[in-house]
Amino acid sequence: MICCVQVLLRVKPSVNSLYLDVSGSSVEQKIYIELKNTVPCVRLLNATHQIGCQSSISGDTGVLHVLETEADLDWILSTGPHPPYMVLMEATFFTRPTMMRMKNSTRVAGVAVINSNTTAVESFSPHTSCPNQNTGVYREDYGPDLANCSSTVWNPLGNSMSYEDFTFPIFSLKDDNQTQVMRKCYEDHNMRVNGSAPQYPLCAMQLFSHMHAVTDTVTCMRRAEVCDPLSDFNVWASIRPINASAKGHKNNESVVIAAARLDGRSFFWDIGTSAEGTVSGIVTLLAAAHALYPVTQEAPPVRNIFFTFFQGETFDYIGSSRMVYDMKQDKFVINLDNVHSVLEIGQVCTTTFPLFQVINLVDNIKSVASTLNVSLDEPNTTQALPPSSFQRFLRVQPIPGVVLADHKSSFINRYYESLYDTAAYLNMTYPSDLSPEEQMEYETEASKSLTEVATLVARSLYKQAGGNDRLLINITADAKMVSLHMLLYGFLVRSNNSWFITLPSLLSPESGPPQYYIGLRQDNSVKSVTRFVQFVMANATGTVTSLNQIQCQNPNDVPGESKDLYSYHWVSGPPSANSTEGDPYCVRTSVRLAKALSPAFELPEYGSREYSTWTESRWKTIRARIFLVASPQLEVMVLLGFRCRLDEV
């Protein structure tokens, strides 16, 4: 053991003198700089293949080189004398052509992309150009002329990089002090001088992200404990309570479904707030529900309004296909025959919206829009539906519906399913002198726009549900609900704020936005957007009761209360003027969770072409570190010396 320590110290003799901020008594701490705030690209699998990235089982190591020019890329891929290289790059170089050249080279050990807070590229979408093309309504037996985006390429900027299979690790690094340490290490040891190659010792980087699963979902699911289905929960609620213990209400009341999706992704594991792609729809539907609630309680419409937020839609409609499947099997609280119509909120970041599908519903929305500062545009009759949860309903039953979106044909969103679809892209900027709490009260242009859209949605839903037209004027989205009460701020900028922290079961939310990647969240992780939407919806549509904490936890013991009709949440409440703690109370709400797990894993049909088959590989270690590496000749000399000492023993 002593000999081993001596060898390590001799191989990297000057690490300690380079990094004065490295402390610790272990040899490893003295040799390596561990990098924090790193997020990997991970391996995902479906019925036919695998995508993503991984390292070897012991991690991959290479000499660090910063990619800043085309000459740097040539050095990495052709002329540099010290391959393999670990490439550190700014986001501007993280493009499909560059990454494919690296993928096809044997000289790249891994890539680290610096994730800046500011958008550095004009457009970037690593998703496909035709999202969910194989699991929507259009196929050989229905609208074959519209299948595979033959009439409209919805995401023309999509380069499909997220769906490539890379054999080396790719990490995202936060642009912070550690990134500067890496640059300093590179500049001190690895930079060319007058075109000449640097001399040893060289700065190296090691990335660990070995994935256990390989080939496809069919293979990995038959090999126990190597992958897991992508899964989480849908969130649903209704303006009139529905008995959650009774399933398949075929002859029950008619419902109008109001839907939005919950999830988004980027190239990297849990990065990507999906501001336009996802959050704009979430916030609009939450604000619409909040605006609708008092009027629907005072003057209930003829039909029930059923709000639902679908999880996992990015991956072949996991959430919506599961809900439709459960409806077909009489395993859900409503049946497909209960569904009167569907209004889905897609990407909504401008105030000009095309409408897709059916005349009566469109006319209702148009009549409401005429009273608001919102303009509508209806595409021609040959236009296909955009990628939407509504398509999963149409696969099994002809139901009237509308998709509300800000694009008539191709997406306006330049950063669909990328790490740049952020608050900054929605121009959610704040004066530099505002504190986080003051930012919550600052009205941005995005919140003003979505307030109008939420009013349009709320009034249209009430009208579609057969509500009293004279009361439409009383339905107006609260700008404070969208802006001051931090829906946009909480979902896109900072979830650890004074409003979100008062919500039930969100006692310690992490800073930054929630996580929008569906992942493996059947435990309902506190960071998941599902948890936030569940309790924001409860806050927006629930009723404050006089129940104490024990009664709130056991409502069936209280006359007049029912856990079959409602869910109950003990809320900490906002802090009072003279205290940092809130005045707690019990909220009664119709908000529920429903499993968002593809039917393919229930059946089980791991090679299904009907349902999503996406799984995520398991792993043990995600890690990144830098260190100095000696020349191969010196390492051989040290090892020979080590062998001699062993012989002496």
Side-chain angles (χ1 to χ4, degrees), residues 23 37 88 110 123 164 189 240 253 314 348 366 422 442 451-452 492 539 565:
S23 60
N37 298 319
L88 179 66
S123 61
E164 289 289 337
H189 296 276
R240 286 193 291 273
E253 63 183 342
T314 301
V348 285
K366 283 182 176 180
T422 63
Y442 185 84
T451 300
E452 288 289 305
L492 290 175
N539 185 81
L565 292 178

Side-chain angles (χ1 to χ4, degrees), residues 41-42 44 50-53 89 91-103 111 113 123-129 155 157-166 168 170 265-268 416-420:
C41 158
V42 303
L44 299 168
Q50 66 185 32
I51 63 173
C53 321
M89 65 169 70
T92 49
F93 289 93
F94 187 56
T95 64
R96 181 179 175 86
T98 298
M99 294 306 300
M100 293 307 292
R101 288 180 65 183
M102 292 185 182
K103 176 181 177 178
V111 174
V113 182
S123 61
F124 179 72
S125 174
H127 204 71
T128 63
S129 60
N155 186 33
L157 297 173
N159 60 36
S160 297
M161 200 162 77
S162 288
Y163 292 84
E164 289 289 337
D165 183 28
F166 292 91
F168 51 77
I170 304 175
R265 68 173 297 207
S266 74
F267 184 88
F268 300 100
Y416 184 74
E417 303 293 16
S418 82
L419 69 169
Y420 305 120

